[in-house]
Amino acid sequence: MNKTSDSTLNSLYHAVVKRNPGESEFHQAVREVFDSLGPVLRKYPEFGTHKIIERICEPERQIIFRVPWQDDAGQVQINRGFRVQFNSALGPFKGGLRFHPSVYLGIIKFLGFEQIFKNALTGLPIGGAKGGSDFDPKGRSDDEIMRFCQSFMTALHRNLGEHSDVPAGDIGVGTREIGYLFGQYKRLTGRYESGTFTGKGLDWGGAKVRKEATGYGAVFFLREMLAARGDTIEGKTCIVSGAGNVAIYAIEKLQQLGGKVVACSDSRGFIHDAHGLDLDLIKEIREVERHGIEEYVAHHKRASYTPNRRLWHVPCQIALPCATQNELGGDDATTLVQNGCIAVAEGANMPVTPDGMRILLNAGIAFGPGKAANAGGVATSALEMQQNASRDTWDFEFTETRLAEIMKGIHRRCHETAEEFGTPGNYVKGANTAGFIRVARAMVALGLI
Ligand code: GLU
C-alpha cells in the first residue's frame, strides 16, 4: 500500500521532469511537495482517481510575451515577460511579479507552484500565479523603469482583473513598479479597478502593513514555532539574509520582539554589527538611496562589511533567509547547527536547498518552510483586496492584528496536519499536506476543469 503510492509519486515526478525539461527550480519545488504526499494519497484515494496531482502540476494558462522598450540612450531593448496562471480552484489567480535577470520559465513556475499551496494555507480565497521578466532594474533610471512597466502591462493587461488575476510585487517589483503597472492598466482599460493589483501605494488604494507584511509574518510564524517549544524570540541572537523589503521588516519585528539582529546581506556581501543592526540607517541606505549595504560601515566603525560571502557562519540562534532561492545549502546548514542555531524560518521563496533542509530537520531545528512562514505578504494582499472591494481602509493596528491571527492560523494548520499524518513538528510536511488537501478538495468539488 505504502509502496504503491510512493512509486506512483515517483513516476509522476519523472513525468513532470520529462514534460518540463530544463526547469530545475520547478522540479525542485515539485519534488518537495511530492515527498509529503504519500500519506495523503492513501487517505484520499479520490485524489488519485481525479488525477489531481497531474492536473495541479500543469498550469491552467501560461503567457509568454515580448517586452520591447527604449532606454535613456534611445536604444531599443527587448525582454521576455511571463505570467503563469497556475491554479484558480480557490479564487482568482494571485501572486507577485519578479523582475530579475535570472528569471526564466522554470523560476516563474517554481514560484507559481509554491504560491498555490501558500495561498491555500492562508485559508483565504486566492488561487496561485506568478509572473515577471528577465529585465534587470539595477542601475536603471526611473524613466526606464516606467517605460518598461508600461510595455509589460500593454502586453499583459487583457489577462488581468480583480476577479481573474491579481498581480503584486516580488524581487525587483515594489510600490514604484506597481504604480507604473497600475497606471498603464488604468489607461488601457479606462477603469480605476484597484482590486486588480496589490502592493499599491497608501495614497492610491494600497493597504497599511502590506509593505511590512512578509517580514512581519515570517517573524510571527517563528514566534509560534518557538512558543510550541516553550521558547521566545526575546534575547536571541539573529541573522537575516537579504536587505530588501522582506529582510528589513523581518529585522524590524525581530527587534520589536526583543531579538538582537547582528547581520544582514545583499547580493554583494554582508554586514556584521555585534551591537545589533541600526535599522533606520539600513532603511535610509536601501529604501531611500537604493544603494548597497556596504555603506553601513561608513556610518558605524564598529561594524564590518564582508564582500562576496554569505553570512551563515555568523553565530546565531535564529536564522531567517530572506533573499532568494537556494541561498542556504548543506554546508551552511551544518554550520548553523554547529553554532547552536535553534530556529530557521524562510522569508524568501525556497531559500534552503533540499540538502540544507534535510540537515536542519534531522538536527531537530524548528524549521518554517516559505509556503507557511512567508505567506504573510500574500495574506495581507488578500486583505488589501478586501478593503478595495468594500472601498474601505483599515488602520495599521487592526491590519497587523489580522495578519498575526492569519499567521497563527497557518501555524496551527501546519502543526496539526503534521501531527495527524505522523510527522509531528515537521512543518514542511504539515504545510505541503494541509495546502495540497485544501486545493485538491476544491478541485474535486469544481469538477473536471
Ligand atoms: N511575491 C509575494 C509572495 O511570494 C507576494 C505575492 C502577492 O502578494 O500576491 O508570496
Side-chain angles (χ1 to χ4, degrees):
M1 182 72 174
N2 284 13
K3 279 209 188 101
T4 320
S5 55
D6 289 345
S7 71
T8 306
L9 283 162
N10 214 28
S11 55
L12 286 175
Y13 173 72
H14 288 295
V16 168
V17 172
K18 200 165 165 218
R19 198 170 163 71
N20 303 277
E23 299 174 0
S24 58
E25 296 84 359
F26 178 51
H27 305 160
Q28 185 184 334
V30 167
R31 172 96 265 174
E32 191 214 288
V33 171
F34 279 20
D35 282 346
S36 304
L37 293 185
V40 180
L41 291 189
R42 293 193 275 282
K43 183 164 179 195
Y44 298 94
E46 66 271 29
F47 293 166
T49 327
H50 289 279
K51 294 241 185 321
I52 295 297
I53 296 193
E54 291 89 329
R55 281 157 64 193
I56 236 170
C57 290
E58 185 71 16
E60 288 183 33
R61 187 177 298 110
Q62 309 185 55
I63 306 152
I64 304 181
F65 47 96
R66 179 172 68 200
V67 190
W69 57 284
Q70 223 169 1
D71 66 20
D72 285 345
Q75 298 292 319
V76 172
Q77 303 278 348
I78 313 290
N79 286 99
R80 188 173 288 175
F82 303 88
R83 185 70 177 167
V84 174
Q85 299 179 328
F86 231 118
N87 196 297
S88 62
L90 292 174
F93 297 110
K94 183 81 198 87
L97 299 172
R98 176 176 293 193
F99 292 169
H100 191 270
S102 66
V103 164
Y104 75 106
L105 187 58
I107 295 259
I108 300 299
K109 278 166 74 177
F110 118 63
L111 291 163
F113 187 73
E114 293 231 307
Q115 200 84 43
I116 304 171
F117 307 105
K118 183 199 302 196
N119 295 4
L121 269 179
T122 65
L124 298 163
I126 38 179
K130 205 84 187 192
S133 175
D134 57 0
F135 170 69
D136 187 357
K138 247 191 210 131
R140 290 294 176 191
S141 71
D142 233 51
D143 284 346
E144 290 177 318
I145 302 274
M146 180 178 74
R147 286 195 294 273
F148 176 81
C149 288
Q150 289 178 336
S151 180
F152 185 93
M153 193 41 59
T154 302
L156 188 62
H157 73 281
R158 280 183 205 84
N159 303 93
L160 307 178
E162 62 179 322
H163 299 296
S164 50
D165 186 352
V166 183
D170 196 83
I171 294 173
V173 179
T175 311
R176 172 179 61 167
E177 290 73 18
I178 294 293
Y180 295 144
L181 293 163
F182 175 58
Q184 183 73 352
Y185 179 83
K186 185 178 84 60
R187 186 183 189 198
L188 291 167
T189 59
R191 293 161 68 91
Y192 204 106
E193 209 179 80
S194 307
T196 304
F197 294 83
T198 63
K200 299 182 293 296
L202 295 179
D203 297 329
W204 38 277
K208 297 199 183 66
V209 192
R210 177 62 192 88
K211 185 172 68 167
E212 295 83 357
T214 312
Y216 278 19
V219 176
F220 290 147
F221 190 86
L222 167 77
R223 176 170 66 177
E224 296 301 318
M225 288 200 299
L226 291 176
R229 296 170 169 222
D231 207 344
T232 65
I233 291 168
E234 177 88 49
K236 302 279 189 306
T237 301
C238 314
I239 61 173
V240 177
S241 67
N245 209 37
V246 182
I248 286 175
Y249 292 96
I251 295 170
E252 182 163 284
K253 190 50 74 181
L254 283 168
Q255 290 181 341
Q256 285 173 9
L257 296 177
K260 185 173 180 193
V261 189
V262 296
C264 76
S265 61
D266 62 15
S267 56
R268 294 196 293 255
F270 74 90
I271 51 169
H272 182 207
D273 184 345
H275 284 72
L277 294 177
D278 173 353
L279 188 59
D280 288 338
L281 177 60
I282 293 174
K283 283 185 183 174
E284 177 69 25
I285 294 170
R286 299 293 298 171
E287 294 184 332
V288 182
E289 293 168 16
R290 294 180 187 268
H291 285 171
I293 200 73
E294 70 273 11
E295 281 190 12
Y296 186 94
V297 294
H299 297 82
H300 288 301
K301 300 281 180 253
R302 60 180 194 238
S304 64
Y305 172 69
T306 310
N308 305 320
R309 207 168 162 206
R310 291 176 178 156
L311 74 181
W312 306 119
H313 60 282
V314 175
C316 68
Q317 290 148 302
I318 291 171
L320 260 58
C322 295
T324 195
Q325 66 272 359
N326 292 327
E327 56 162 315
L328 196 161
D331 292 347
D332 303 319
T334 304
T335 307
L336 284 171
V337 173
Q338 282 167 355
N339 284 344
C341 180
I342 59 163
V344 173
E346 293 186 318
N349 291 312
M350 209 166 75
V352 180
T353 65
D355 254 9
M357 200 184 295
R358 196 174 27 79
I359 290 162
L360 296 176
L361 289 171
N362 285 344
I365 281 181
F367 178 73
K371 277 183 207 85
N374 73 37
V378 76
T380 308
S381 278
L383 302 182
E384 184 172 335
M385 291 163 74
Q386 279 185 37
Q387 290 166 78
N388 292 150
S390 57
R391 302 191 180 280
D392 197 2
T393 50
W394 305 345
D395 68 26
F396 196 94
E397 288 68 30
F398 178 75
T399 317
E400 191 185 356
T401 307
R402 292 284 310 267
L403 169 62
E405 281 163 2
I406 291 168
M407 296 315 295
K408 220 175 186 166
I410 295 172
H411 177 270
R412 183 177 34 75
R413 249 163 251 139
C414 295
H415 198 77
E416 287 174 3
T417 310
E419 218 145 70
E420 182 190 338
F421 284 85
T423 50
N426 185 327
Y427 294 97
V428 177
K429 301 256 192 229
N432 287 333
T433 307
F436 178 85
I437 291 174
R438 181 164 181 238
V439 182
R441 290 166 69 121
M443 287 175 74
V444 171
L446 296 187
L448 191 52
I449 50 168

PDB file of all heavy atoms in Angstrom, residues 182-202:
ATOM      1  N   PHE A 182       0.025  49.694 -12.648  1.00  0.00           N
ATOM      2  CA  PHE A 182      -1.394  50.007 -12.421  1.00  0.00           C
ATOM      3  C   PHE A 182      -1.822  51.212 -13.270  1.00  0.00           C
ATOM      4  O   PHE A 182      -2.902  51.225 -13.869  1.00  0.00           O
ATOM      5  CB  PHE A 182      -1.636  50.276 -10.933  1.00  0.00           C
ATOM      6  CG  PHE A 182      -3.029  50.713 -10.606  1.00  0.00           C
ATOM      7  CD1 PHE A 182      -4.122  49.915 -10.936  1.00  0.00           C
ATOM      8  CD2 PHE A 182      -3.268  51.935  -9.985  1.00  0.00           C
ATOM      9  CE1 PHE A 182      -5.430  50.333 -10.641  1.00  0.00           C
ATOM     10  CE2 PHE A 182      -4.563  52.355  -9.691  1.00  0.00           C
ATOM     11  CZ  PHE A 182      -5.635  51.543 -10.026  1.00  0.00           C
ATOM     12  N   GLY A 183      -0.942  52.207 -13.354  1.00  0.00           N
ATOM     13  CA  GLY A 183      -1.253  53.399 -14.161  1.00  0.00           C
ATOM     14  C   GLY A 183      -1.520  53.021 -15.611  1.00  0.00           C
ATOM     15  O   GLY A 183      -2.493  53.488 -16.227  1.00  0.00           O
ATOM     16  N   GLN A 184      -0.685  52.164 -16.157  1.00  0.00           N
ATOM     17  CA  GLN A 184      -0.861  51.770 -17.558  1.00  0.00           C
ATOM     18  C   GLN A 184      -2.107  50.896 -17.718  1.00  0.00           C
ATOM     19  O   GLN A 184      -2.841  51.020 -18.692  1.00  0.00           O
ATOM     20  CB  GLN A 184       0.396  51.017 -18.047  1.00  0.00           C
ATOM     21  CG  GLN A 184       0.369  50.609 -19.507  1.00  0.00           C
ATOM     22  CD  GLN A 184       0.547  51.795 -20.456  1.00  0.00           C
ATOM     23  OE1 GLN A 184       0.546  52.952 -20.053  1.00  0.00           O
ATOM     24  NE2 GLN A 184       0.705  51.487 -21.734  1.00  0.00           N
ATOM     25  N   TYR A 185      -2.377  50.064 -16.748  1.00  0.00           N
ATOM     26  CA  TYR A 185      -3.573  49.208 -16.776  1.00  0.00           C
ATOM     27  C   TYR A 185      -4.832  50.092 -16.791  1.00  0.00           C
ATOM     28  O   TYR A 185      -5.759  49.893 -17.574  1.00  0.00           O
ATOM     29  CB  TYR A 185      -3.580  48.287 -15.545  1.00  0.00           C
ATOM     30  CG  TYR A 185      -4.782  47.390 -15.462  1.00  0.00           C
ATOM     31  CD1 TYR A 185      -4.834  46.186 -16.163  1.00  0.00           C
ATOM     32  CD2 TYR A 185      -5.889  47.748 -14.690  1.00  0.00           C
ATOM     33  CE1 TYR A 185      -5.948  45.368 -16.098  1.00  0.00           C
ATOM     34  CE2 TYR A 185      -7.008  46.939 -14.624  1.00  0.00           C
ATOM     35  CZ  TYR A 185      -7.036  45.749 -15.322  1.00  0.00           C
ATOM     36  OH  TYR A 185      -8.147  44.940 -15.266  1.00  0.00           O
ATOM     37  N   LYS A 186      -4.825  51.086 -15.935  1.00  0.00           N
ATOM     38  CA  LYS A 186      -5.951  52.024 -15.817  1.00  0.00           C
ATOM     39  C   LYS A 186      -6.158  52.757 -17.146  1.00  0.00           C
ATOM     40  O   LYS A 186      -7.270  52.929 -17.633  1.00  0.00           O
ATOM     41  CB  LYS A 186      -5.642  53.028 -14.699  1.00  0.00           C
ATOM     42  CG  LYS A 186      -6.758  53.979 -14.374  1.00  0.00           C
ATOM     43  CD  LYS A 186      -6.379  54.891 -13.218  1.00  0.00           C
ATOM     44  CE  LYS A 186      -5.567  56.106 -13.661  1.00  0.00           C
ATOM     45  NZ  LYS A 186      -6.281  56.948 -14.619  1.00  0.00           N
ATOM     46  N   ARG A 187      -5.053  53.142 -17.753  1.00  0.00           N
ATOM     47  CA  ARG A 187      -5.133  53.894 -19.000  1.00  0.00           C
ATOM     48  C   ARG A 187      -5.686  53.027 -20.138  1.00  0.00           C
ATOM     49  O   ARG A 187      -6.518  53.455 -20.930  1.00  0.00           O
ATOM     50  CB  ARG A 187      -3.713  54.354 -19.330  1.00  0.00           C
ATOM     51  CG  ARG A 187      -3.622  55.270 -20.503  1.00  0.00           C
ATOM     52  CD  ARG A 187      -2.140  55.568 -20.721  1.00  0.00           C
ATOM     53  NE  ARG A 187      -1.948  56.618 -21.697  1.00  0.00           N
ATOM     54  CZ  ARG A 187      -0.797  56.823 -22.321  1.00  0.00           C
ATOM     55  NH1 ARG A 187       0.238  56.049 -22.049  1.00  0.00           N
ATOM     56  NH2 ARG A 187      -0.687  57.781 -23.192  1.00  0.00           N
ATOM     57  N   LEU A 188      -5.231  51.767 -20.175  1.00  0.00           N
ATOM     58  CA  LEU A 188      -5.649  50.881 -21.266  1.00  0.00           C
ATOM     59  C   LEU A 188      -7.091  50.401 -21.107  1.00  0.00           C
ATOM     60  O   LEU A 188      -7.784  50.175 -22.095  1.00  0.00           O
ATOM     61  CB  LEU A 188      -4.709  49.661 -21.344  1.00  0.00           C
ATOM     62  CG  LEU A 188      -3.290  49.983 -21.821  1.00  0.00           C
ATOM     63  CD1 LEU A 188      -2.364  48.793 -21.559  1.00  0.00           C
ATOM     64  CD2 LEU A 188      -3.280  50.327 -23.302  1.00  0.00           C
ATOM     65  N   THR A 189      -7.511  50.213 -19.856  1.00  0.00           N
ATOM     66  CA  THR A 189      -8.858  49.668 -19.641  1.00  0.00           C
ATOM     67  C   THR A 189      -9.881  50.777 -19.414  1.00  0.00           C
ATOM     68  O   THR A 189     -11.082  50.531 -19.524  1.00  0.00           O
ATOM     69  CB  THR A 189      -8.894  48.740 -18.402  1.00  0.00           C
ATOM     70  OG1 THR A 189      -8.487  49.511 -17.257  1.00  0.00           O
ATOM     71  CG2 THR A 189      -7.977  47.542 -18.567  1.00  0.00           C
ATOM     72  N   GLY A 190      -9.409  51.954 -19.048  1.00  0.00           N
ATOM     73  CA  GLY A 190     -10.344  53.041 -18.727  1.00  0.00           C
ATOM     74  C   GLY A 190     -11.081  52.808 -17.424  1.00  0.00           C
ATOM     75  O   GLY A 190     -12.151  53.371 -17.198  1.00  0.00           O
ATOM     76  N   ARG A 191     -10.525  51.948 -16.561  1.00  0.00           N
ATOM     77  CA  ARG A 191     -11.206  51.630 -15.293  1.00  0.00           C
ATOM     78  C   ARG A 191     -10.255  51.781 -14.112  1.00  0.00           C
ATOM     79  O   ARG A 191      -9.141  51.285 -14.158  1.00  0.00           O
ATOM     80  CB  ARG A 191     -11.708  50.175 -15.314  1.00  0.00           C
ATOM     81  CG  ARG A 191     -12.810  49.937 -16.325  1.00  0.00           C
ATOM     82  CD  ARG A 191     -12.928  48.458 -16.619  1.00  0.00           C
ATOM     83  NE  ARG A 191     -13.426  47.722 -15.460  1.00  0.00           N
ATOM     84  CZ  ARG A 191     -14.719  47.491 -15.225  1.00  0.00           C
ATOM     85  NH1 ARG A 191     -15.614  47.917 -16.068  1.00  0.00           N
ATOM     86  NH2 ARG A 191     -15.101  46.820 -14.160  1.00  0.00           N
ATOM     87  N   TYR A 192     -10.710  52.436 -13.068  1.00  0.00           N
ATOM     88  CA  TYR A 192      -9.926  52.517 -11.830  1.00  0.00           C
ATOM     89  C   TYR A 192     -10.276  51.290 -11.000  1.00  0.00           C
ATOM     90  O   TYR A 192     -11.086  51.339 -10.077  1.00  0.00           O
ATOM     91  CB  TYR A 192     -10.247  53.798 -11.052  1.00  0.00           C
ATOM     92  CG  TYR A 192      -9.109  54.208 -10.143  1.00  0.00           C
ATOM     93  CD1 TYR A 192      -8.302  55.287 -10.459  1.00  0.00           C
ATOM     94  CD2 TYR A 192      -8.825  53.494  -8.975  1.00  0.00           C
ATOM     95  CE1 TYR A 192      -7.243  55.664  -9.634  1.00  0.00           C
ATOM     96  CE2 TYR A 192      -7.781  53.850  -8.148  1.00  0.00           C
ATOM     97  CZ  TYR A 192      -6.990  54.936  -8.484  1.00  0.00           C
ATOM     98  OH  TYR A 192      -5.938  55.299  -7.660  1.00  0.00           O
ATOM     99  N   GLU A 193      -9.667  50.172 -11.373  1.00  0.00           N
ATOM    100  CA  GLU A 193     -10.009  48.890 -10.757  1.00  0.00           C
ATOM    101  C   GLU A 193      -8.905  48.531  -9.759  1.00  0.00           C
ATOM    102  O   GLU A 193      -7.996  47.760 -10.080  1.00  0.00           O
ATOM    103  CB  GLU A 193     -10.084  47.858 -11.889  1.00  0.00           C
ATOM    104  CG  GLU A 193     -11.011  46.711 -11.670  1.00  0.00           C
ATOM    105  CD  GLU A 193     -10.992  45.778 -12.884  1.00  0.00           C
ATOM    106  OE1 GLU A 193     -10.050  44.961 -12.995  1.00  0.00           O
ATOM    107  OE2 GLU A 193     -11.904  45.876 -13.720  1.00  0.00           O
ATOM    108  N   SER A 194      -8.990  49.146  -8.566  1.00  0.00           N
ATOM    109  CA  SER A 194      -7.904  48.988  -7.588  1.00  0.00           C
ATOM    110  C   SER A 194      -7.605  47.535  -7.269  1.00  0.00           C
ATOM    111  O   SER A 194      -6.460  47.149  -7.049  1.00  0.00           O
ATOM    112  CB  SER A 194      -8.278  49.674  -6.280  1.00  0.00           C
ATOM    113  OG  SER A 194      -8.657  50.994  -6.512  1.00  0.00           O
ATOM    114  N   GLY A 195      -8.661  46.716  -7.242  1.00  0.00           N
ATOM    115  CA  GLY A 195      -8.507  45.328  -6.809  1.00  0.00           C
ATOM    116  C   GLY A 195      -7.746  44.444  -7.777  1.00  0.00           C
ATOM    117  O   GLY A 195      -7.537  43.261  -7.502  1.00  0.00           O
ATOM    118  N   THR A 196      -7.291  44.994  -8.905  1.00  0.00           N
ATOM    119  CA  THR A 196      -6.529  44.176  -9.858  1.00  0.00           C
ATOM    120  C   THR A 196      -5.056  44.062  -9.463  1.00  0.00           C
ATOM    121  O   THR A 196      -4.329  43.218  -9.988  1.00  0.00           O
ATOM    122  CB  THR A 196      -6.678  44.762 -11.282  1.00  0.00           C
ATOM    123  OG1 THR A 196      -8.070  44.841 -11.580  1.00  0.00           O
ATOM    124  CG2 THR A 196      -6.015  43.900 -12.335  1.00  0.00           C
ATOM    125  N   PHE A 197      -4.616  44.940  -8.556  1.00  0.00           N
ATOM    126  CA  PHE A 197      -3.212  44.892  -8.109  1.00  0.00           C
ATOM    127  C   PHE A 197      -3.169  44.999  -6.602  1.00  0.00           C
ATOM    128  O   PHE A 197      -4.004  45.686  -6.008  1.00  0.00           O
ATOM    129  CB  PHE A 197      -2.419  46.082  -8.679  1.00  0.00           C
ATOM    130  CG  PHE A 197      -2.266  46.043 -10.162  1.00  0.00           C
ATOM    131  CD1 PHE A 197      -3.281  46.514 -10.982  1.00  0.00           C
ATOM    132  CD2 PHE A 197      -1.125  45.521 -10.746  1.00  0.00           C
ATOM    133  CE1 PHE A 197      -3.162  46.464 -12.364  1.00  0.00           C
ATOM    134  CE2 PHE A 197      -0.994  45.467 -12.127  1.00  0.00           C
ATOM    135  CZ  PHE A 197      -2.013  45.941 -12.938  1.00  0.00           C
ATOM    136  N   THR A 198      -2.186  44.373  -5.999  1.00  0.00           N
ATOM    137  CA  THR A 198      -1.942  44.643  -4.581  1.00  0.00           C
ATOM    138  C   THR A 198      -0.489  45.095  -4.424  1.00  0.00           C
ATOM    139  O   THR A 198       0.324  44.936  -5.328  1.00  0.00           O
ATOM    140  CB  THR A 198      -2.222  43.419  -3.690  1.00  0.00           C
ATOM    141  OG1 THR A 198      -1.320  42.374  -4.050  1.00  0.00           O
ATOM    142  CG2 THR A 198      -3.660  42.945  -3.822  1.00  0.00           C
ATOM    143  N   GLY A 199      -0.238  45.677  -3.239  1.00  0.00           N
ATOM    144  CA  GLY A 199       1.075  46.283  -3.038  1.00  0.00           C
ATOM    145  C   GLY A 199       1.073  47.708  -3.567  1.00  0.00           C
ATOM    146  O   GLY A 199       2.117  48.263  -3.908  1.00  0.00           O
ATOM    147  N   LYS A 200      -0.116  48.296  -3.641  1.00  0.00           N
ATOM    148  CA  LYS A 200      -0.231  49.666  -4.145  1.00  0.00           C
ATOM    149  C   LYS A 200       0.231  50.658  -3.069  1.00  0.00           C
ATOM    150  O   LYS A 200       0.321  50.329  -1.887  1.00  0.00           O
ATOM    151  CB  LYS A 200      -1.703  49.946  -4.527  1.00  0.00           C
ATOM    152  CG  LYS A 200      -2.221  49.025  -5.639  1.00  0.00           C
ATOM    153  CD  LYS A 200      -3.645  49.336  -6.053  1.00  0.00           C
ATOM    154  CE  LYS A 200      -4.686  49.064  -5.003  1.00  0.00           C
ATOM    155  NZ  LYS A 200      -4.834  47.658  -4.602  1.00  0.00           N
ATOM    156  N   GLY A 201       0.455  51.901  -3.500  1.00  0.00           N
ATOM    157  CA  GLY A 201       0.847  52.949  -2.555  1.00  0.00           C
ATOM    158  C   GLY A 201      -0.324  53.312  -1.662  1.00  0.00           C
ATOM    159  O   GLY A 201      -1.482  53.153  -2.051  1.00  0.00           O
ATOM    160  N   LEU A 202      -0.005  53.829  -0.468  1.00  0.00           N
ATOM    161  CA  LEU A 202      -1.072  54.111   0.502  1.00  0.00           C
ATOM    162  C   LEU A 202      -2.008  55.222   0.023  1.00  0.00           C
ATOM    163  O   LEU A 202      -3.164  55.271   0.414  1.00  0.00           O
ATOM    164  CB  LEU A 202      -0.466  54.474   1.863  1.00  0.00           C
ATOM    165  CG  LEU A 202       0.323  53.339   2.547  1.00  0.00           C
ATOM    166  CD1 LEU A 202       0.907  53.819   3.870  1.00  0.00           C
ATOM    167  CD2 LEU A 202      -0.550  52.110   2.746  1.00  0.00           C
TER     168      LEU A 202
END
